[in-house]
Amino acid sequence: MIVLDLKDARPLYEQVVERFKHLILCGALPEDEKLPSVRNLAMELSINPNTIQKAYGELERQGFIYTVKGRGNFVSPNGSLKEAKKAELKQQLSELVSEGESIGFTRKEMIQYIENV
């Protein structure tokens, strides 16, 4: 489920956060799915439980998961999260188009490239 890259310069908790965000946004983890316990995931990944706790805290702060006392952590309903991510990507695309045009990359070339990707 989660694979960490020990050669990555980012802290382990950030990698865990990014992997879970990706799994949630792509639908691999459906709404209200129970996440592994802090202890179990830490053992599975061979890392400190505090690292997982920090990652879960960050995911909860960002609205990707919620906690139920005594039951664990669960995936939040993600409709608004997907829309927010789409808006973010649209903004990034807009900036890329502007930057591309400023160096002579035509819209036609951009569209052709996108269609080939």
Side-chain angles (χ1 to χ4, degrees):
M1 178 199 272
I2 300 287
V3 178
L4 300 176
D5 181 3
L6 300 177
K7 295 178 183 176
D8 192 330
R10 294 177 303 157
L12 293 175
Y13 87 93
E14 285 183 11
Q15 292 182 48
V16 172
V17 168
E18 288 305 312
R19 300 297 195 281
F20 270 116
K21 285 169 63 173
H22 174 74
L23 291 170
I24 292 168
L25 289 173
C26 75
L29 288 174
E31 294 179 11
D32 300 319
E33 175 91 4
K34 187 176 186 327
L35 297 180
S37 72
V38 169
R39 187 172 301 166
N40 287 343
L41 187 56
M43 285 178 27
E44 181 181 321
L45 297 176
S46 299
I47 60 176
N48 191 310
N50 292 334
T51 303
I52 301 302
Q53 188 63 47
K54 186 173 182 178
Y56 280 4
E58 182 62 21
L59 286 164
E60 186 169 18
R61 189 187 68 72
Q62 293 180 19
F64 284 88
I65 66 173
Y66 63 94
T67 302
V68 176
K69 284 272 191 204
R71 298 207 52 229
N73 297 291
F74 298 85
V75 176
S76 295
N78 56 22
S80 61
L81 295 172
K82 284 184 180 181
E83 291 306 313
K85 184 65 174 178
K86 284 180 183 179
E88 179 185 328
L89 290 174
K90 285 179 183 178
Q91 177 63 33
Q92 290 174 354
L93 282 171
S94 178
E95 292 170 6
L96 285 173
V97 168
S98 295
E99 184 178 344
E101 287 176 330
S102 72
I103 62 167
F105 199 23
T106 67
R107 285 182 184 253
K108 185 176 181 179
E109 289 173 319
M110 288 183 221
I111 292 168
Q112 283 178 325
Y113 181 76
I114 290 170
E115 287 175 347
N116 290 333
V117 173

